[in-house]
Amino acid sequence: MLKLKRLPAAVAAITAAGLLAACSGTSTTTAADAGGGGKTISIGYSTPVAAQVSAQNLALGLKNAAASLNWQLDILDANLSADKQISDVQTMLQQGKAAIGTWTLDAGAAGGAYAQAQAAGVPVVGVNSEGTGITAGVWWQINMCDAPDAPYKRTAQLIAKQRPGAKVVVMGGPPVPSIINNAKCFTEAAKAAGLTVLPQADNTKDNSAGASALASDLLTKHGDVDAFWAYNDSTALGISAAVTQAGLKISTKGSDGVIVIGANADPDAVEAVKQGRLTGTWDPDGVATGWAVVKAMRDILDKKPAQKIVVKSTWYDGDTISSYVAPDQRKYTLDSLPLVTAAQ
């Protein structure tokens, strides 16, 4: 795991509108099935940045899964501040949460807070995170790079098949470990597929405007670029806008033009794929991820061995976008989730 430079503290709201989910009521959960002595089980989750659609989808899954068990849920927004996230974890410990979920912004900095959780007997479930103090992990398949058919390896091969030897720009984002590793995964796969990888640019502003400005500059320097890989859809849409403004076309269904690939299957990106403004996007299924976090918590509280859970990611492009199902229409249960083996 690449180490992340500690992010500066930021003044951030503890909760984001629409993301503080609370499920009230007397729990029917007993010590035998949740380790709670028959009382209401309260869990918490630290989201890295609540404004992102993928984070909102994950929150929806958490809320629905917690409600299915009559558990109480609180979600705190770190707003990309590692210091805020540490404070949030400590707050949840003080509140007596039975289990805590977190998408770690800085594994080194968070280790102390996670150690406090361990000492208190509170399991920490990491989302796309690893490090000292994490009891169990839930991963997006797109964040797994070991298997031969790992999503970002397939992405590199897709580009190479359509455009052998293509010149590719990798656009990463804020220095979050999972983002850093994803960019590294794709870069290595692109080189292995015979693609020419141009100098990486990082959209640290984490918005479409920032990506558009970066892409415009890159298109001026590299007018013959064939493809852009973006760490998320907001970035991909900013790139798409810059490509269009430069008088170029977006490649769809194997057509000529610049290939622009995103991730998260945000609503705007899904619409852009339908309209031919985006080549494709990976859907990591944030809703299923939220369910998987609660599943991991339930199993740990039931004294079952902690296991690595990997949620399946699905590729959508112009040929497959018609099969896309909106997040709020996805029906899951704790024991019926779209998972793949941990090795993938």
Side-chain angles (χ1 to χ4, degrees):
M1 169 68 71
L2 292 178
K3 295 233 176 156
L4 170 68
K5 183 178 179 181
R6 185 163 181 167
L7 297 171
V11 177
I14 289 182
T15 60
L19 280 180
L20 178 59
C23 307
S24 60
T26 302
S27 174
T28 57
T29 311
T30 65
D33 58 10
K39 63 183 180 181
T40 300
I41 301 300
S42 180
I43 61 173
Y45 178 73
S46 171
T47 185
V49 52
Q52 279 201 358
V53 175
S54 59
Q56 295 166 12
N57 290 338
L58 199 155
L60 175 62
L62 285 167
K63 177 180 178 181
N64 291 341
S68 75
L69 293 172
N70 288 329
W71 285 5
Q72 180 184 348
L73 167 70
D74 289 314
I75 299 177
L76 306 184
D77 181 13
N79 199 24
L80 288 178
S81 168
D83 291 332
K84 174 65 165 56
Q85 185 168 68
I86 293 168
S87 175
D88 288 345
V89 171
Q90 293 171 335
T91 294
M92 289 186 280
L93 287 174
Q94 293 170 359
Q95 292 173 341
K97 301 301 184 188
I100 295 172
T102 175
W103 187 318
T104 306
L105 289 168
D106 185 336
Y114 296 166
Q116 292 177 30
Q118 275 191 330
V122 178
V124 176
V125 176
V127 178
N128 295 319
S129 307
E130 59 185 13
T132 303
I134 293 180
T135 311
V138 174
W139 293 82
W140 285 349
Q141 190 186 16
I142 58 172
N143 286 353
M144 308 302 292
C145 200
D146 295 335
D149 63 344
Y152 287 143
K153 290 182 180 179
R154 289 164 55 189
T155 301
Q157 293 160 5
L158 179 154
I159 295 172
K161 181 178 180 180
Q162 182 176 333
R163 210 76 53 84
K167 294 182 178 180
V168 183
V169 169
V170 174
M171 194 171 289
V176 176
S178 59
I179 295 174
I180 294 171
N181 287 340
N182 282 352
K184 180 175 181 288
C185 176
F186 174 77
T187 297
E188 292 177 349
K191 291 178 179 178
L195 304 179
T196 299
V197 180
L198 300 174
Q200 180 173 329
D202 292 330
N203 179 24
T204 56
K205 293 183 178 180
D206 195 36
N207 57 36
S208 293
S212 183
L214 286 171
S216 294
D217 184 54
L218 289 165
L219 287 167
T220 299
K221 295 177 180 177
H222 309 286
D224 57 348
V225 64
D226 296 291
F228 283 85
W229 175 92
Y231 81 98
N232 68 5
D233 283 334
S234 178
T235 299
L237 290 171
I239 294 169
S240 175
V243 169
T244 302
Q245 289 169 4
L248 302 173
K249 294 183 179 179
I250 302 295
S251 174
T252 61
K253 298 184 179 181
S255 69
D256 292 336
V258 180
I259 299 169
V260 182
I261 292 173
N264 290 349
D266 293 348
D268 289 346
V270 169
E271 191 60 30
V273 172
K274 291 178 180 178
Q275 295 176 1
R277 294 183 288 109
L278 193 63
T279 305
T281 181
W282 280 99
D283 181 1
D285 202 338
V287 176
T289 306
W291 278 88
V293 170
V294 174
K295 172 183 172 64
M297 291 177 173
R298 181 200 65 178
D299 290 348
I300 294 169
L301 293 176
D302 277 348
K303 308 302 181 183
K304 296 179 181 178
Q307 295 184 358
K308 185 175 187 178
I309 299 175
V310 181
V311 179
K312 180 181 179 181
S313 297
T314 303
W315 168 249
Y316 289 108
D317 58 16
D319 292 320
T320 60
I321 196 64
S322 61
S323 63
Y324 174 81
V325 177
D328 60 358
Q329 298 299 312
R330 300 179 190 185
K331 307 300 181 184
Y332 297 127
T333 69
L334 290 172
D335 298 307
S336 178
L337 295 172
L339 307 179
V340 296
T341 60
Q344 296 180 312

